[in-house]
Each structure stands twice: as C-alpha cells, then as structure tokens.
C-alpha cells in the first residue's frame, strides 16, 4: 500500500532537517506545526534559537517527555519554536530540562512574532570572522616563533579564545550529546578539537573550529534557500486589500482581516490579495505563481481569481471565497512544506547507512588511538592525532544532507511550474512509471462539452416540459456533460426532490409525480429501458465521438441528448512526450467504447477502455499494474477518486478537478496542462540522477580522506575541508534543481 497522500488542507509544518548537529537539512518527519506561530492555539510557545534540525528536536523531546504535565509538543524548526500543551506552572521545569540538554529557551509572549533566526545572522558572521582572525594569529605565532615560550602562551590564548567564540554552541550541544551517550557531529567535533588542543596542536584546533563553524553557517544559508524557496511565494500576496464597505465606499484593510463574501477591488497592475469570484469588470490575469502558466488568462464575471496573481489590464471586483490562510496559494505552500517533511525512500536508506557509518568510523578511530602505538610503533601523540582526524571524517553530514536538499529543491521546482507533488516518495517514484492511465472528460478533453443534438422520443409529454425536467436535473450535477446540458437548456426554477448522484451513471430525482433519471447508456440498460430503436440511435451518435445522455421515467426514455467535447490543445503533444519517455498511455472512461476510441485516436492514446464505473477503473488500474508495472492514474472527478487512490501515483488535474480528486491524488497539476505530466517524470529522473551524484560525491570524498588519514597523509585541516566541502558541494548540486522550476514569464515590475 502506498502512503496516504498529504491533504491540501494546511494543517502541519514540517521539520527542517535530518542530519546530525547543526546541519540544516530540510527533510524530516512532520511535526504538526502551522506555517506561522499562532498565539490563539493555546499552550506555551518557546523560542529555541539553537534548535536547527530533527536531531536536536529529538534531544529536546527526550529531555522534556518525562514531565507529566505536558500534553503535546509541536515543533517548528524553520521558526525555531516549540509549542507545548502544558499549564504555566510547568514552564520552569520545562525550560530547565531544555537547558540541561544544551539549549537556551525563552517564552514567546502572546502578540510577539515568533520570527526566525535571521536577525542573529549578521552578528554571528562577525563573531566567526573575529574567531578566524584569532585562529590565524595563533597559526602565525606557531609558524614564526615555534620555540618562544611567550609566543606559545600567546598563541594558546588566541586559540582558546577563537575556539570559545566559534565553538560555544558546538560544545554545549556536543557535551549534552556525550552525557547521554550519543554521537553526533557536535560530539565528534568537541572531542576532536579538545584532543588536538590537549596534544599541543592548539593553532590547528582553533582553525578547525573556526572553519567548521563558518562552513556550517554558509551551508545553513544555502539549505535555507531550498527550504524557503516555496515559502517565498507568500511574499507575492499583498498584505492589504481594498474592500467595499456597507455604505458603498472603499477602505484599505489588512488581507488577514478580510472576511468571506467581502467585495474586493483590484486595480490594473496590482496583485490580487485573496481568492474570489469576479463580480464586476474584466481583465487579463497572470496566474504564473499559482498555475505556472506563462500567458495571462482572461477573467470576467463568474471567473475565479487566485491570491498572488497579477491583474494586468482592467479594474476587477471580486467576492472573497477564502480567508488569507486558506487561499489556493497558501494551501499549495502548506502542502509542499508538508511534503518536504516526508522522508523519501533514498533518505531512509541514507539514514540507515549513516546510523552505521558514524559508530563504525568512531570505533576505527578508537582502535587507531589505542592499538597503533603497539602494532605499528607510532607515538601516542601521533596515534591520537590520526584518531582525531578520523573523528572529523566520521561526520556524516554531507551524506545525510545529500538527499533532503535535493528532494526539497525538486519539490519547490515542481511547485513553481504548477506541479504540486505531495511528498518526496512520489518525486522519486515518478521516474519508475510504465503506464499513465487517463480519464477522458476534463483530462484529455477540455471538460467543456456542448450540447450538439437533442431528440424528443416521447410525444405524450410536451417538449417544453421534457427539456425543463432534463435541465433541472442536470443543473444539480457537477459533471461536465450535465453542465453542458444545463447551460444549453437554461433550467427553470423547477423543484427536484430526492435528488441523488449515481457515480459513473448519472443522476436521479423526483419532479412533481415523476421519478426521473438522467444518465448514460449504461444506466438506461441497467433500468432495462434501452430497446433496439434507441440502441440504433445511440450507436449512430457514438460513432461520431459524441457522449450520450438520456432522460427517462419509469415508462421509458423521454429524450436523447448528444454532447460533444474537444481534446485539449496540448493533449496530443503530451501523449507523444510520454511515448518518448517510454511510458504507455491508456484512457479509462465512463463513456461508451465508441466515443472513448474516437477521442483516443485524436489524442494518439495507445489504448482506450470505455463503459467503466469507478470500481471498473480501479480494477483496470490493478490489471495495468500487474501487466506493466508502476502505474499512474490521472483524473479530475469523484469517479476517479478510487482509481487515484489505488494507483502507484495518483495525478489530479487541479484547476478543474473536484476536491475529492485533489485530496486523493499524490500529484496535482494546477493548470490542467497535460504536458506537466511528462515534465514531472523528467524532473523525477533528473532528481534521481542528482541524488546519486550527491551520494557518490559524499561517500567518495569520505572514502578518499579515510584512506589518507589511515596512511598518515591527512591533517585535521584537510579533514574539516573534506567534510564541510563535501556538504557545500552536495547542497550546491541539489540547489541546481531550483533553476529548473523558474517560471518562463514573470513580470519584472508589479504595483501593489
């Protein structure tokens, strides 16, 4: 069974990393925290500036879990906050326990923004720069006056000061980890630097700690770029909105204070602050931030507009349909952030490997320190130094960070293109797909069919009444075919009682004293109302690729409605792209077989299967999986939800899709462009290549310096450069994926 898909409803905030110590990898299990700290949630909100990744989250969790008054913990690593469900009386013991684990904690008072750690970055850079200068001073003294006692004392003082300035956080975390019997990079670096200082290598110890801390800061900034790439889209949403008041005047309000159903005005050139439905005006709107479409989309009365998009030409007024925290853009961001918090398969493999790698190298280092003086006749000082070099090499940071930064960059890249991937597992697994199953209406076709023919079969009821019945039933369904009939017939105010949708078949209801059904060929056959004459008429229409809908009562068929749809402009191009990738395309449709085959031929689809109910589509997916292997299902309606859930990867066409389909899917195509499907597969394959490049790079560098250390050719300088250099290389390589997701067309200047 595949994992449950992440809901589009924003509920959680993912943790930020999964590497040891102060690394800032962005991938970790979700910790049920909102995008921003919300003082209305209740409980105690603590800010922990040094809490950077799930390793530290686990340490804090273990430190406080014994406190009985705690009802729950919710971590937000990007904001470095922890919300605790506990009474105020427990606060002193909670903060004390966190401090004993090596972390400072402070209470965030209601109304105070939780923020992030950005304000402290310039100050941190200055301190590390000063520490580096002092370490260089110690190196110069050791090089120029190695035998002068005063120079040795001064150099030792400079080195000790540099180590304290650059490594205070590392030491506090490392000692806390060692006291609990755990090995992480903070513990390894603390032991290595202390040991080097103790054997008289204080200039090198100071330089290693300064370089390590600087590299960590650079790495953290780089990884933050990947982690916050998608969140930066929030900045596209204006903080204020021009809202119509009760007296007809307009007033500027904060977007977060605008209520549902309020009417908002947006001037040309301004960004739209909230989701809504246009009530007045018309304009072209650039929807690239939400759907990835490079060309503006014309909007007029009745059309939907999205927060963060750009009103390019005309004045628009729209009725608000979502609060600022529930807009489509906000939901995308929440969903991607939650996806970033899920572990991809490669990440789980790397975690298992790293869990063995670090203790193994530590044991080797211990053996070098204790055994080589006896076996190889090394001096104790020489053996201890080589062991300390091995400890620095033992840090698995580059290896562990190689996967999450790549996956997070891939997810952000996809989101910028209008492809919402709900987890790293789906980003990785999309490359394996052998078959893409596609629904017909709304997926391959436009989903905007038109009524092209009507035949009245029952002459005992007036044509006007029959058309009113059909229009009234069709108006209550959200299926594209029903909408086409409803639009063409302009339904009256006829009341429909006992209305019920019949998935994959049609609808039924009671009007007056008539029990009526409006459905497809299958429904009429099931009700045993389809005679030879009707069958002949249906075959004639279906041969032309038309979708047939019939209105019937208990006595027989009253009318036939023929609806025709057109394939999407880029459908054939998308199917051809799938073929180029070696992926087979199969159409699964609830429509009749003749219509399905006619549409499949136009779109160049390999195989078409018609007359399928939701359960039939599910069985078809299972058959395709058995015959070909990994299979994806693409659809947009409630009929597709079971198949979407059963497929290895479910893909929903988001802009036109139902909430049911979007929630059941693992990937949502926000702009309904089928070309995004092969694009997602290509991105998955590129991500897979970058993942292996990073893993080979990280392990290769480690292996080389491990051998050099054992041969006595590596110094602590080389070890720290190898460790942090590898980390920066894999981060930079992973960040390349972000450039794949840059929108093609973005306005260079926008007002508002």
């Amino acid at each position: 069974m595949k994992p449950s898909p992440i809901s589009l409803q924003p509920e959680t905030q993912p943790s930020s990393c999964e590497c040891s110590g102060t690394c800032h990898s962005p991938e970790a299990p979700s910790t049920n925290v909102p995008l921003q700290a919300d003082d209305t949630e209740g409980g105690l909100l603590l800010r922990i500036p040094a809490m950077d990744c799930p390793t530290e989250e686990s340490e804090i969790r273990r430190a406080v879990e014994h406190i009985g008054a705690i009802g729950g913990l919710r971590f937000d690593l990007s904001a470095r906050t922890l919300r605790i469900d506990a009474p105020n009386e427990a606060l002193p013991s909670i903060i004390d326990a966190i401090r004993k684990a090596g972390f400072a904690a402070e209470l965030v008072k209601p109304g105070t923004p939780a923020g992030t750690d950005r304000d402290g970055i310039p100050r941190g850079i200055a301190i590390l720069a000063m520490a580096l200068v002092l370490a260089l001073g110690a190196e110069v003294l050791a090089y120029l006056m190695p035998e002068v006692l005063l120079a040795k004392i001064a150099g030792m003082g400079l080195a000790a000061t540099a180590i304290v300035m650059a490594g205070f956080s590392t030491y506090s975390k490392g000692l806390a980890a060692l006291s609990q019997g755990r090995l992480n990079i903070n513990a390894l670096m603390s032991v290595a630097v202390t040991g080097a200082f103790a054997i008289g290598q204080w200039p090198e110890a100071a330089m290693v700690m300064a370089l390590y801390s600087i590299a960590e800061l650079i790495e953290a900034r780089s990884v933050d770029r990947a982690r916050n790439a998608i969140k930066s889209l929030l900045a596209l949403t204006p903080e204020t909105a021009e809202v119509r008041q009760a007296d007809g005047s307009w007033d500027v309000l904060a977007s977060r204070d605008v209520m549902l159903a309020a009417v908002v005005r947006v001037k040309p050139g301004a960004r739209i602050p909230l989701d809504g439905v246009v009530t007045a005006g018309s304009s072209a709107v650039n929807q690239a931030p939400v759907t990835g479409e490079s060309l503006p989309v014309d909007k007029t009365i009745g059309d939907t507009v999205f927060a963060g998009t750009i009103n390019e030409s005309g004045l628009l007024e729209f009725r608000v349909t979502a609060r600022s925290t529930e807009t489509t853009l906000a939901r995308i961001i929440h969903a991607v952030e939650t996806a970033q918090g899920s572990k991809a398969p490669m990440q789980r493999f790397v975690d298992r490997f790293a869990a063995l790698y670090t203790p193994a190298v530590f044991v080797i280092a211990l053996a070098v320190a204790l055994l080589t003086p006896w076996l190889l006749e090394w001096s104790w000082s020489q053996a201890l130094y080589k062991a300390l070099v091995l400890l620095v090499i033992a840090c698995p940071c580059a290896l562990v960070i190689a996967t999450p930064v790549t996956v997070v960059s891939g997810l952000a890249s996809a989101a910028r293109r209008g492809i919402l991937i709900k987890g790293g597992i789906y980003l990785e697994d999309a490359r394996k797909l052998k078959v893409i199953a596609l629904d017909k209406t709304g997926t391959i076709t436009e989903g905007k069919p038109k009524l092209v023919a009507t035949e009245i079969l029952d002459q005992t009821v007036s044509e006007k009444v029959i058309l009113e019945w059909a229009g009234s039933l069709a108006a209550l369904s959200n299926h594209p075919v029903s909408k086409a009939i409803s639009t063409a017939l302009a339904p009256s105010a006829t009341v429909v009682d006992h209305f019920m949708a019949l998935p994959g078949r049609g609808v039924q209801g009671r009007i007056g004293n008539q029990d009526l059904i409006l459905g497809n060929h299958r429904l009429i056959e099931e009700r045993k109302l389809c005679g030879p004459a009707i069958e002949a008429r249906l075959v004639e229409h279906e041969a032309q690729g038309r979708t047939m809908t019939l209105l019937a009562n208990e006595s027989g068929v009253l009318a036939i409605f023929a609806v025709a749809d057109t394939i999407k402009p880029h459908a054939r191009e998308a199917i051809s792209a799938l073929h180029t990738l070696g992926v087979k395309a199969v159409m699964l449709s609830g429509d009749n077989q003749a219509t399905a085959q006619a549409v499949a031929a136009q779109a160049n689809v390999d195989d078409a299967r018609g007359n399928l109910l939701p359960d039939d589509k599910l069985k078809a997916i299972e058959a395709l999986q058995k015959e070909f292997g990994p299979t994806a299902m693409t659809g947009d309606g409630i009929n597709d939800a079971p198949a979407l859930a059963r497929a290895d990867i479910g893909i929903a066409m988001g802009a036109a899709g139902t909430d049911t389909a979007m929630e059941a899917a693992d990937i949502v195509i926000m702009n309904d462009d089928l070309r995004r499907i092969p694009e997602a597969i290509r991105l998955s394959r590129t991500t897979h290549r970058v993942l292996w490049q990073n893993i080979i790079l990280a392990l290769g560098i480690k292996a080389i310096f491990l051998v050099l250390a054992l041969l006595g050719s590596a110094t602590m300088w080389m070890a720290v450069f190898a460790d942090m250099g590898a980390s920066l290389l894999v981060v930079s390589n992973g960040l390349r994926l972000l450039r794949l997701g840059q929108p093609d067309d973005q306005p260079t200047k926008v007002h508002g």
Side-chain angles (χ1 to χ4, degrees):
M1 295 294 290
K2 69 178 180 179
S4 300
I6 297 170
S7 171
L8 282 177
Q9 183 64 29
E11 294 178 350
T12 60
Q13 165 75 3
S15 302
S16 56
C17 73
E18 187 60 29
C19 65
S20 301
T22 58
C23 301
H24 293 248
S25 165
E27 182 102 354
S30 175
T31 48
N32 299 323
V33 179
L35 183 64
Q36 297 173 334
D38 184 355
D39 297 320
T40 63
E41 291 184 16
L44 304 172
L45 182 63
L46 300 180
R47 176 167 169 73
I48 307 173
M51 180 179 67
D52 296 311
C53 65
T55 299
E56 294 158 345
E57 174 191 322
S58 299
E59 294 173 5
I60 295 171
R61 191 182 296 276
R62 282 192 292 267
V64 301
E65 63 184 2
H66 68 278
I67 301 175
I70 294 178
L73 302 173
R74 284 166 290 175
F75 290 85
D76 183 353
L77 297 184
S78 63
R80 294 172 174 83
T81 60
L82 166 61
R83 187 175 294 279
I84 304 177
D85 294 330
N88 291 335
E89 294 75 20
L91 180 61
S93 58
I94 291 172
I95 291 182
D96 183 61
I98 293 174
R99 285 176 177 165
K100 286 181 179 178
F103 299 88
E106 59 184 12
L107 181 66
V108 178
K109 297 180 180 180
T112 302
T116 62
D117 205 29
R118 290 290 170 208
D119 293 340
I121 287 178
R123 180 173 176 269
I125 293 175
I127 292 175
L128 292 181
M130 191 177 301
L132 181 61
V133 170
L134 295 177
L136 284 171
E139 287 281 2
V140 170
L141 288 176
Y143 179 77
L144 296 178
M145 295 176 281
E147 303 300 330
V148 178
L149 179 61
L150 185 61
K152 287 184 177 181
I153 296 174
M156 185 182 297
L158 291 175
T161 304
I163 290 172
V164 172
M165 293 179 66
F168 180 80
S169 175
T170 300
Y171 267 103
S172 61
K173 295 176 183 178
L175 293 175
L178 289 172
S179 67
Q180 298 175 29
R182 297 192 317 278
L183 291 176
N184 59 24
I185 188 174
N186 295 300
L188 296 176
M189 288 300 299
S190 298
V191 172
V193 171
T194 302
F197 195 94
I199 63 175
Q201 299 291 334
W202 55 77
E204 192 166 359
M207 186 61 69
V208 165
M209 182 60 80
L211 290 174
Y212 165 76
S213 299
I214 291 172
E216 280 283 86
L217 183 63
I218 295 172
E219 178 189 311
R221 296 292 297 274
S222 299
V223 175
D224 276 346
R225 180 185 167 195
R227 187 174 63 195
N228 296 322
I230 188 65
K231 188 182 294 185
S232 65
L233 290 177
L234 271 181
L236 299 177
T237 306
E239 295 182 357
T240 61
E242 193 175 5
V243 183
R244 188 167 65 193
Q245 305 301 302
D247 60 0
S249 62
W250 297 88
D251 194 10
V252 176
L253 302 177
S255 296
R256 65 177 180 273
D257 295 332
V258 179
M259 305 302 291
L260 293 177
V263 176
V264 173
R265 182 169 67 183
V266 184
K267 298 175 181 178
R271 289 192 184 271
I272 296 173
L274 298 157
D275 286 2
V277 176
V278 177
T279 57
S282 61
S283 180
V285 175
N286 186 324
Q287 298 189 146
V290 174
T291 67
E293 294 168 297
S294 58
L295 296 177
V297 178
D298 291 332
K299 299 289 183 178
T300 188
I301 295 174
D303 290 336
T304 300
V305 292
F306 303 109
T309 58
I310 304 153
N311 178 24
E312 294 201 337
S313 54
L315 184 69
L316 286 178
E317 295 180 15
F318 65 90
R319 184 182 72 258
V320 175
T321 57
R323 298 293 301 275
S324 61
T325 57
E326 299 294 330
T327 64
T328 299
L329 184 61
R331 293 167 67 192
I332 290 173
I333 293 167
H334 278 281
V336 174
E337 287 180 329
T338 305
Q340 291 174 349
S342 63
K343 283 193 178 183
M346 187 71 76
Q347 177 67 24
R348 291 193 289 268
F349 161 76
V350 168
D351 286 347
R352 289 193 297 268
F353 182 87
L356 299 174
Y357 168 81
T358 300
V361 178
F362 186 84
V363 170
I364 293 174
L366 192 62
V368 168
L370 298 178
L371 300 180
T372 53
W374 303 95
L375 299 177
L376 302 178
E377 297 184 354
W378 291 354
S379 68
W380 286 101
S381 176
Q382 184 183 18
L384 184 57
Y385 181 81
K386 291 182 179 181
L388 295 176
V389 172
L390 285 174
L391 288 183
V392 177
I393 294 175
C395 168
C397 192
L399 177 63
V400 176
I401 204 174
T403 299
V405 71
T406 302
V407 171
V408 168
S409 296
L411 292 171
S413 173
R416 288 176 171 182
R417 291 282 183 160
I419 306 170
L420 175 56
I421 302 176
K422 297 184 182 179
I425 184 173
Y426 309 118
L427 177 62
E428 281 197 46
D429 287 352
R431 68 182 176 84
K432 303 175 184 177
L433 292 173
K434 302 298 182 185
V435 182
I436 302 287
L438 305 107
D439 178 44
K440 179 179 71 70
T441 305
T443 301
I444 293 179
T445 66
E446 289 283 4
K448 299 176 181 178
K450 296 181 180 180
L451 183 63
V452 295
T454 301
E455 295 185 26
I456 305 299
L457 302 183
D458 191 326
Q459 303 303 322
T460 63
V461 183
S462 71
E463 178 178 340
K464 179 182 178 182
V465 171
I466 289 176
L467 296 182
E468 285 183 355
W469 288 349
S472 297
L473 286 170
L476 298 178
S477 172
N478 63 357
H479 193 281
V481 173
S482 293
K483 289 181 178 179
I485 296 173
S486 172
T487 300
L489 299 183
S492 64
T494 303
V495 176
V496 180
D497 297 318
H498 308 300
F499 178 83
M500 180 183 298
L502 305 172
R505 296 172 174 83
V507 298
Q508 69 181 29
R510 185 177 181 84
I511 298 178
N513 61 354
Q514 292 284 334
D515 289 318
L516 301 167
I517 57 173
L518 181 70
N520 57 20
H521 193 170
R522 174 191 288 268
L523 178 60
I524 299 302
E525 287 184 336
E526 289 178 352
R527 299 297 174 93
K528 303 187 184 305
L529 298 173
C530 190
I534 294 175
E535 190 75 39
R537 299 300 303 142
L538 295 179
V539 170
E540 181 180 336
H541 285 289
E542 290 169 354
Q544 302 176 55
R546 294 174 175 177
T547 299
M548 305 307 297
T549 300
L550 301 92
L551 176 70
N553 59 15
E554 295 177 345
S555 302
V557 177
L558 304 176
I560 296 175
F561 302 94
V563 171
D565 199 357
T566 56
I567 67 169
K568 292 181 177 178
H570 304 296
R572 190 177 182 88
E573 179 184 345
I575 301 302
S576 296
L578 289 175
H579 292 160
T580 301
L581 293 170
V583 179
K584 183 181 180 69
V586 177
M587 179 191 294
L588 304 180
S589 177
D591 214 333
N592 63 82
Q593 184 66 28
T595 300
Q597 288 178 335
V599 173
Q602 295 178 51
N604 198 29
V605 173
D606 300 286
D607 184 18
R609 306 180 186 185
N611 295 313
L612 300 181
L613 296 173
D615 285 346
D616 297 325
K617 290 184 179 181
L618 188 149
K619 293 175 183 176
I621 291 295
E622 293 173 342
L624 291 170
Q625 289 171 324
K626 185 175 181 180
E627 181 178 358
F628 298 103
T631 300
M633 172 65 191
T634 305
D636 71 330
I638 189 171
N639 294 347
D640 305 316
L644 287 170
R646 180 63 185 88
D648 294 282
I649 296 180
I651 304 174
M653 307 305 288
T658 64
D659 288 341
T660 303
M662 292 176 69
E663 297 298 337
D666 309 307
I667 298 176
V668 178
I669 308 299
M670 297 305 297
N671 61 4
D672 283 342
D673 189 340
L674 279 174
R675 292 176 299 176
R676 300 302 190 212
I677 298 176
E679 187 174 333
I681 296 174
R682 284 193 293 267
L683 177 62
S684 174
R685 294 180 180 182
T686 301
T687 300
H688 183 71
R689 287 195 298 271
V690 173
L691 281 173
W692 276 108
Q693 289 170 7
N694 281 348
I695 290 172
I696 292 171
L697 189 64
L699 287 177
I701 292 175
K702 291 288 185 184
I704 291 171
F705 279 88
L706 182 63
V707 173
L708 290 175
L710 291 175
L711 295 177
S713 301
T715 65
M716 289 187 69
W717 273 62
M718 295 170 64
V720 76
F721 272 121
D723 176 67
M724 301 315 300
S727 295
L728 294 175
L729 283 174
V730 299
V731 167
S732 299
N733 194 35
L735 289 176
R736 289 192 301 114
L737 293 175
L738 286 177
R739 293 195 291 273
L740 299 178
Q742 293 293 347
D744 298 326
D745 287 326
Q746 284 284 15
T748 57
K749 184 177 181 180
V750 178
H751 302 288

